[in-house]
Amino acid sequence: MRIITTSRIIQGSSKVYTACFIYIFMEWLFFITKPSILSYYTLPEKISIVFLLPLLIFISLLPVVLFLFAVDEWLIKKDRIRLVMIVPALIYAGVIFLLIENFSNTMFGFYSGSFLGPVRYVYLAAFCGLIVYLFLLSTRDQNTKTSKLQWTAVPIMVAACLVVGTLYAITGRGDISAGPLDAEFTSDSGLPNILILSSDGINRRNMSAYGYERETTPFIKTLMEDSLVSANHFANSSHTASSVISMLTGKLPVTTGVIYPPDGLAGVDAYEHLPGILQKRGYRNADISVRYYADTLDLNMLDAFHVANDRRDIGNPITGLYSPLFSPYPEQEIFLKQSLDRINSRLLHIAGIRDIEDVFGLVTSADNLANSVAIDGSRIEQLFDFINNNSEPFFVHLHLMGTHGPRFRPTNPIYSLGQEQIRNHMQDFYDDSIRDFDRNVTEIYDFLEDRGTLENTLVIINSDHSRNPNVGLPVPLIMDFPGNQHSGVIEENTQRLDLAPTILDYLDIDIPEWMEGRSLLSLEEDPRLIFAYSSATTEYVADLGWTVLDPIPPFNTLNKVFVLNCQRIYELIINEQSFKNRLIPRHSVPCSQDKLLPAYEIAKAILNQLNEQDYDISSLGWLTELAEFFSKSRASLRGDTLYLPAVEYQDGIYAAVLINDDSGNFVIDDLQVPLNIDEVSIFNQETASFILTQADVNGEIGNLRLTLISANPTVFKLTIEE
């Protein structure tokens, strides 16, 4: 009996491992052919997914497999019934189901998530039938020659794969410090609740609370006098995902590597965050946001929230139970989570437990945006349910979508009443959507007050980025502290990065060194640089959503770096080799000229920061050269590039960069707001030229004449004057 049992265990375990291997391999094929997390894995990391992940999953399933073997051998004792084969049957059914889903979605534009009615249960019945069929198929009598060959061949192949996977497990371990935070705190029911209320894409200047002429935020306006308000608050990203991660971690997007999907948190960054610290203090945490784009679990934020968009006690059954097994392998863990979510979300949908939310259509399709208000209502209900059903203190991040463009569906139109929304981002509809958000805030305040919770709750009203989106436009930040403990207006530039350290400072919890923001309760006087980021070109990919199509090293998903220096914003566009600057409109307290750094210093700050985050900046040498031009007060000619620090032309004063074209003439490559207007060269209408005296001509001092020879297109001829 012992020999039979041992051989059956070997054969059965081989089949379970083979099923794990085939599942991972098929998912690997799916992800490798699309823009995904694999797009910027190294070749060894890509290969390790195929061999290491099946091993980790198999080890995770081993207790279940051994239990089913015990049931088979000592309870059922029938050769034709092998309960252990239900494991590979389930896995193979998942593989086949996903293959059919991928095919129908690609070829015909529908999949299980396309159906909300009874049709979904047809999928469920088919899936259950497939499991039964595969189980019966795997337990039939195996006494043929082929099966005897398989009896020895399959375990040998499995053993070979296990050896390769084990080698990767030994040599491919990541940073072992990338695990849960060690610090333990005692629960304190006297701590205040914390509620972050965000709505997507709100401009500060469209809020009457900030002086807008339309009454878009009448209730929020009543909170201003007793709240701590930032007059010039900016997001650290033009994208929701990286903005949310920055807010919750207190880290810049280039530090965490989260710019835009397919990015996700990895290594120690997955564990270093505000909600993790609060959880160890005794807080009950909830993330009520947007799947994929703002959902912290989708972005691999671990040990953070007890509830994430209706998913309780977050963590999938494998990685949650065996996190010590997976934590040394962050790349494999992220891939596994994204893979499991594809099958898990579909199974919950066809079972009628939780509908698949079409978040990709929601944030991109004007038709689907009609549902955004209703979805916001369900999110607010989730907030109320969480607060009612959980002990205090609580920490909740609520992200609403009614103000997300490009189209808006206000519930009580005032400014857009009677109008038809015929184009994107119509102002009247946008303002009405902000009024909807104000009413949502009113409803939440009423709920907290009726419950007796408001007086012990810090409420933070904020937005992930401005409309359209533009990181150069301020977003709201209103912090309503219990008992009006902190109030007033902060005039200097603040950033979303500051929220986490501010909350910790308020709670009298030490701010960890890895947080890069600073507390708004103890500001320094000198203005600081604020960094923000944007992605490379994005594209919609079936079953993956909007993602960076080709994240190429060394910058991967990163393409734009913004630096805010008082009332001026600088923009580096890596792919276009462009470095521009402009004034921030309606900055409440602009700095004096001596507080503004020269462009050369801004460029150095960008390069230093990217270099510190291990980006290869060798391709950005042009930025240093261009920035040196902008630091000069006189015209400079270097080879084929002419820099004009300040010229008056067509009723405006500009700084300009001109490039020598193929014909030897100069054309305008870039126009900007000048940083130095001590000496302005004026265009002479009679001679149609500029006289540039004491110019730097390839290292020597000389006079230049720049003559207009064509107005459309604008072309100049450059001559050196005696």
Side-chain angles (χ1 to χ4, degrees), residues 229-232 489-494 587-589:
V229 177
S230 175
N232 299 288
V489 178
I490 303 171
E491 297 289 358
E492 74 162 85
N493 291 351
T494 64
H587 195 283
S588 65
V589 184

Side-chain angles (χ1 to χ4, degrees), residues 258-367:
V258 178
I259 307 294
Y260 197 82
D263 296 337
L265 291 169
V268 71
D269 291 320
Y271 294 94
E272 292 182 342
H273 41 68
L274 171 68
I277 295 174
L278 296 181
Q279 185 181 130
K280 291 182 180 297
R281 259 292 195 190
Y283 278 82
R284 291 289 295 175
N285 301 341
D287 176 33
I288 306 170
S289 56
V290 186
R291 288 297 310 276
Y292 307 103
Y293 293 109
D295 184 285
T296 50
L297 181 56
D298 291 325
L299 295 168
N300 201 43
M301 183 173 283
L302 305 178
D303 293 345
F305 290 94
H306 299 90
V307 178
N309 295 311
D310 272 344
R311 290 168 294 169
R312 298 185 178 276
D313 297 318
I314 62 174
N316 63 65
I318 297 176
T319 56
L321 187 59
Y322 296 93
S323 58
L325 182 66
F326 284 87
S327 60
Y329 310 103
E331 291 81 12
Q332 291 77 12
E333 184 178 29
I334 295 173
F335 178 88
L336 179 61
K337 283 190 172 186
Q338 293 188 4
S339 174
L340 289 178
D341 187 68
R342 288 200 335 120
I343 184 66
N344 182 59
S345 60
R346 285 167 165 80
L347 293 181
L348 291 176
H349 179 81
I350 64 177
I353 298 174
R354 187 176 69 229
D355 294 343
I356 294 179
E357 185 178 1
D358 183 16
V359 293
F360 303 118
L362 176 64
V363 299
T364 56
S365 168
D367 293 333

Side-chain angles (χ1 to χ4, degrees), residues 554-579:
F555 299 106
N556 299 318
T557 54
L558 175 65
N559 184 39
K560 295 181 181 180
V561 180
F562 302 90
V563 180
L564 290 84
N565 180 207
C566 292
Q567 70 271 23
R568 187 173 295 278
I569 182 170
Y570 294 80
E571 179 182 16
L572 166 66
I573 306 178
I574 297 172
N575 293 350
E576 298 178 6
Q577 293 196 353
S578 171
F579 184 55

Side-chain angles (χ1 to χ4, degrees), residues 288 373-386 398 400 436-437 439-441 443-444 447:
I288 306 170
V373 174
I375 293 173
D376 279 354
S378 68
R379 291 192 178 105
I380 293 173
E381 288 301 320
Q382 289 179 48
L383 169 68
F384 295 167
D385 289 343
F386 176 80
L398 175 67
L400 303 178
D436 282 348
F437 174 64
R439 278 187 289 271
N440 289 334
V441 174
E443 181 183 358
I444 292 169
F447 168 80

Side-chain angles (χ1 to χ4, degrees), residues 543-558:
D543 209 38
L544 289 178
W546 286 91
T547 183
V548 173
L549 191 60
D550 192 13
I552 302 173
F555 299 106
N556 299 318
T557 54
L558 175 65

Side-chain angles (χ1 to χ4, degrees), residues 674-714:
L675 293 178
N676 190 328
I677 56 174
D678 293 338
E679 296 187 24
V680 181
S681 300
I682 301 175
F683 184 71
N684 189 313
Q685 296 289 346
E686 293 182 1
T687 62
S689 63
F690 295 99
I691 299 297
L692 310 171
T693 60
Q694 297 295 300
D696 181 349
V697 183
N698 295 316
E700 298 182 0
I701 301 300
N703 298 327
L704 301 175
R705 180 184 290 270
L706 192 63
T707 305
L708 181 66
I709 61 176
S710 172
N712 190 17
T714 305

